[in-house]
């Protein structure tokens, strides 16, 4: 591809196939990075609706099944659907507040019905991604990616500090566990052994898991309670359609479209020093939307590209598409054998938090690398300051947006939507210098 270069520390490029043993290890890194986020939304819904343990296990199975199938659709592709980039899909925490609000008021059926319509809406947006790509230039894309990383950091920090543990948020034992994971990742990353360096996240999580188990901090009861084999079936809940629920979902699907474009950009810039092609962007959005529509059919909540897995690629240098394919197959297998998923479900929150905190920050750094390709003129710095300030500010202080009503505030609180819309508007409104316009034209021709 014109203008494509492999980054020096990328160990396996997109078409490389590492040995089976290494591939499985690398695949499990991706699963561990996304697992907590993938089950967070169904777990919260289980608590809100008051489902029994059997129903709760069923929802988690559905989340795993759809994540695996949607990832295969994204990575392998079917005709025009799928970016064919090593992107992991899963239940999106970006929809968390929207899903909770709809489920609390109308029930699971209304949430799934709104999600299905929203998924089809995003798929339609994918057909216009060529025009949208002109809007998402390196400046806007960099701001979007930086916002994604920044707004996820509080989530990673809460996990690292053990917000849901018995010891409580910020308990010394939680900080020691997450700190141990971070330390192991750093030590592995400076190793001269390429395999150990590439598996740094997995090694960090495994070491933290073992230490926590020895210290008696792991509750293994979920493994004993899980069934040996079970197949998730579609349409378990009767769909309902409410306009307020649908409108709230559509706002979030716009955010998902923006986030997915940002994720694809971060991935290709990090690994191959290029922007995604129009075909990759369009296929990625189509897979995102159709994956979410399929999720609704199989009783799961909206799926999207996982930002933390972009951080895994950045940190480990493993850009192989076959690795993510293997990870997707493992996710499908876990959905059929609940005891397998229960093993990972038992990983303590601070252990996962230590790893996700680093990967979230790597996403932010990917956005910074995008911005460095842009002339940091006073105009561009003003756009960055206003869009990041307001977008991140809304995310960190969500009470500010209550005046706009629930449907609008859940969209603004995401941070990504206001930051991207402001960046786009200011990029259009503020005049470019002659040199900036010429440089932008040169970059477009190079791509």
């Amino acid at each position: 591809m014109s203008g494509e270069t492999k980054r020096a520390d990328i160990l396996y490029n997109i078409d490389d196939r590492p040995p089976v043993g290494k591939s499985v290890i690398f695949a499990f890194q991706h699963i561990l990075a996304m697992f907590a986020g993938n089950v967070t939304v169904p777990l919260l819904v289980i608590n809100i609706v008051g489902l029994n343990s059997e129903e709760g296990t069923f929802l988690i199975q559905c989340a795993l099944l759809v994540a695996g199938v949607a990832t295969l659709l994204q990575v392998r592709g079917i005709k025009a659907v799928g970016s064919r980039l090593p992107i992991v899909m899963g239940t999106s925490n970006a929809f968390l507040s929207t899903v909770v609000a709809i489920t609390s008021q109308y029930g699971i059926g209304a949430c799934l019905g709104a999600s299905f319509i929203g998924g089809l809406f995003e798929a339609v947006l994918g057909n216009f991604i060529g025009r949208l790509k002109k809007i998402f230039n390196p400046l806007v894309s960099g701001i979007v990616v930086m916002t994604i990383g920044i707004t996820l950091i509080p989530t990673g920090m809460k996990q690292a500090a053990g917000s849901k543990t018995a010891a409580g948020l910020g308990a010394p034992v939680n900080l020691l566990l997450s700190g141990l994971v971070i330390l192991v990742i750093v030590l592995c990353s400076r190793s001269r052994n390429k395999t150990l360096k590439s598996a740094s996240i997995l090694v960090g999580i495994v070491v933290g898991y073992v230490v926590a188990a020895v210290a008696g901090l792991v509750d293994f009861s979920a493994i004993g309670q899980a069934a040996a084999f079970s197949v998730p079936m579609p349409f378990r809940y009767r769909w309902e359609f409410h306009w307020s629920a649908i409108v709230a979902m559509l706002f979030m699907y716009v955010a998902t479209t923006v986030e997915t474009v940002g994720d694809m950009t971060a991935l290709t810039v990090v690994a191959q020093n290029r922007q995604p092609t129009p075909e990759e962007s369009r296929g990625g959005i189509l897979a995102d939307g159709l994956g979410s529509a399929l999720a609704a059919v199989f009783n799961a909540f909206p799926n999207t590209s996982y930002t933390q897995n972009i951080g895994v690629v950045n940190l480990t240098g493993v850009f192989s598409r076959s690795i993510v394919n293997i990870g997707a197959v493992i996710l499908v297998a876990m959905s059929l054998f609940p005891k397998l998923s229960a093993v990972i479900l038992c990983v303590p929150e601070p252990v996962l938090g230590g790893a996700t905190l680093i990967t979230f920050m790597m996403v932010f750094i990917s956005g910074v690398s995008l911005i460095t390709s842009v002339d940091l003129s006073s105009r561009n710095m003003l756009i960055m300051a206003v869009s990041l300030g307001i977008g991140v500010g809304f995310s960190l202080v969500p009470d500010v947006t209550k005046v706009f009503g629930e449907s609008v505030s859940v969209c603004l609180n995401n941070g990504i939507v206001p930051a991207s819309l402001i960046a786009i508007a200011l990029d259009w409104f503020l005049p470019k210098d002659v040199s900036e316009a010429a440089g932008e034209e040169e970059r477009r021709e190079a791509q």
Side-chain angles (χ1 to χ4, degrees), residues 82-116:
S83 66
R84 292 169 175 81
L85 293 170
I87 292 175
V88 177
M89 305 288 287
T91 304
S92 175
N93 280 334
F95 286 86
L96 189 56
S97 57
T98 306
V99 167
V100 169
I102 295 173
T103 305
S104 300
Q105 186 169 356
Y106 301 115
I108 294 178
C111 185
L112 296 176
S115 178
F116 181 79

Side-chain angles (χ1 to χ4, degrees), residues 247-309:
V247 169
M249 274 291 185
L250 293 183
F251 270 112
M252 293 312 304
Y253 273 103
V254 173
T256 296
T257 303
V258 174
E259 182 178 357
T260 301
V261 170
D263 283 343
M264 287 188 286
T265 302
L267 185 63
T268 54
V269 167
V270 162
Q272 295 182 316
N273 194 29
R274 67 175 177 86
Q275 296 283 319
T277 65
E279 292 76 17
E280 289 171 339
S281 299
R282 181 170 57 252
I285 298 300
L286 285 170
D288 222 46
L290 294 178
S292 289
L294 178 67
V297 171
F298 277 91
N299 318 290
F301 303 103
N303 270 233
T304 187
S305 58
Y306 261 174
T307 304
Q308 53 263 52
N309 292 86

Side-chain angles (χ1 to χ4, degrees), residues 78-374:
I78 298 177
K79 294 186 177 180
V81 181
S83 66
R84 292 169 175 81
L85 293 170
I87 292 175
V88 177
M89 305 288 287
T91 304
S92 175
N93 280 334
F95 286 86
L96 189 56
S97 57
T98 306
V99 167
V100 169
I102 295 173
T103 305
S104 300
Q105 186 169 356
Y106 301 115
I108 294 178
C111 185
L112 296 176
S115 178
F116 181 79
I117 293 176
L120 298 181
F121 170 73
E122 184 183 4
V124 172
L125 286 181
N127 292 314
F128 300 94
I129 198 65
R131 297 177 183 177
L132 293 176
K133 282 290 291 180
K134 294 180 180 178
I135 298 174
F136 291 97
N137 55 45
L139 175 63
V140 175
S141 297
I143 290 171
V144 171
V145 175
M146 289 170 69
T147 306
I148 292 172
I150 294 174
T151 54
L152 286 173
I153 289 172
T155 300
M157 182 57 73
K158 288 178 182 178
Q159 287 184 333
S163 62
K164 298 176 184 176
T165 61
L169 179 69
V173 65
N174 295 333
L175 299 179
L176 286 172
L177 268 179
S178 57
L180 173 64
V181 172
I182 293 172
L183 177 62
V184 173
I185 292 173
V186 171
L187 292 176
C188 290
S189 296
R190 72 184 298 271
S191 171
R192 293 183 180 181
N193 185 304
K194 290 185 177 180
T195 301
L196 185 60
K197 181 177 181 179
S198 300
S200 58
I201 294 175
L202 178 60
V203 174
I205 292 175
V206 169
V207 170
Y209 197 173
V210 171
V211 171
V214 171
L217 301 174
V218 182
D219 180 7
F220 292 106
S221 60
I223 300 175
Q225 295 172 1
F229 180 84
S230 177
V231 179
M233 300 302 292
F235 297 112
R236 182 147 177 171
Y237 304 96
R238 182 179 178 181
W239 289 2
E240 297 178 10
F241 299 95
H242 299 273
W243 280 111
S244 59
I246 293 171
V247 169
M249 274 291 185
L250 293 183
F251 270 112
M252 293 312 304
Y253 273 103
V254 173
T256 296
T257 303
V258 174
E259 182 178 357
T260 301
V261 170
D263 283 343
M264 287 188 286
T265 302
L267 185 63
T268 54
V269 167
V270 162
Q272 295 182 316
N273 194 29
R274 67 175 177 86
Q275 296 283 319
T277 65
E279 292 76 17
E280 289 171 339
S281 299
R282 181 170 57 252
I285 298 300
L286 285 170
D288 222 46
L290 294 178
S292 289
L294 178 67
V297 171
F298 277 91
N299 318 290
F301 303 103
N303 270 233
T304 187
S305 58
Y306 261 174
T307 304
Q308 53 263 52
N309 292 86
I310 308 299
V312 170
V313 172
N314 195 359
L315 185 64
T316 63
V318 179
F319 187 62
S320 170
R321 185 164 38 208
S322 70
I323 299 296
V324 178
N325 272 326
I326 293 172
V329 173
I330 293 174
L331 283 170
V332 173
M334 285 182 171
S335 74
L336 302 177
F337 301 96
K339 285 188 182 295
L340 293 177
S341 60
V343 173
I344 299 180
L345 193 61
C346 291
V347 177
E349 184 186 27
V351 173
L352 287 175
T356 56
L357 184 62
I358 293 178
T359 58
F360 289 159
M361 199 61 207
M362 293 297 286
V363 172
F364 171 76
I365 294 170
S366 299
V368 173
S369 68
L370 270 174
I371 292 294
T372 56
S373 67
V374 178

Side-chain angles (χ1 to χ4, degrees), residues 376-411:
L376 292 180
S377 62
S378 58
R379 169 192 181 273
N380 291 342
M381 286 193 291
L382 177 62
I383 294 174
M384 291 171 58
V386 175
S387 54
L388 284 171
I390 295 177
V392 175
F394 281 166
S395 176
L396 296 179
V397 191
D399 289 344
V400 174
T401 64
K402 286 184 176 180
V403 68
F404 299 108
E406 185 176 3
S407 296
V408 177
S409 65
V410 294
C411 189

